[in-house]
Amino acid sequence: MSGWEPTSGDIWGGRPIARRIADARPRRRVVVTGKVVDAQPSIWRGSGAMAFGLDDGTGRLTIVFGGLRSIPGMVEGVQCTVEGTALADEEGIVLWNPFYRFEP
């Protein structure tokens, strides 16, 4: 995504922002940088999607882009920052259609 900058404050919507995956909780804002550790087309809640595992060294979460079969540049090994509201799922913490940017 171009033109997006991650939220820089400590609070979002009156709640603390998780800056590490280990601190992520459902219904809370998450802004983390990590490495994509896997990528796979998937069916999430009955719809086609692309799912990626993201690991920041403190934990792992899943980022899901609904209705897409690929995200250009989003491949295993790439470093990226994501921001979104955490949801609980059978996979653990999930961010649906988060903002993202690739990091050097």
Side-chain angles (χ1 to χ4, degrees):
M1 302 200 76
S2 60
W4 169 74
E5 288 293 322
T7 299
S8 60
D10 295 329
I11 303 293
W12 188 85
R15 296 180 177 173
I17 296 173
R19 301 282 175 184
R20 302 177 329 139
I21 293 172
D23 299 329
R25 301 291 179 265
R27 301 180 54 102
R28 301 280 172 99
R29 199 66 170 179
V30 176
V31 179
V32 295
T33 299
K35 183 184 289 189
V36 174
V37 294
D38 61 49
Q40 59 188 17
S42 190
I43 300 295
W44 283 75
R45 298 184 179 163
S47 297
M50 196 64 198
F52 301 89
L54 188 75
D55 190 313
D56 73 347
T58 71
R60 179 185 163 126
L61 59 73
T62 302
I63 53 177
V64 178
F65 296 91
L68 299 174
R69 296 189 183 269
S70 70
I71 304 290
M74 189 76 73
V75 295
E76 287 183 44
V78 74
Q79 193 84 358
C80 69
T81 298
V82 296
E83 178 173 352
T85 300
L87 301 171
D89 195 280
E90 61 271 0
E91 299 291 321
I93 295 293
V94 177
L95 300 181
W96 272 87
N97 297 315
F99 291 108
Y100 68 94
R101 77 172 181 198
F102 299 113
E103 302 293 347

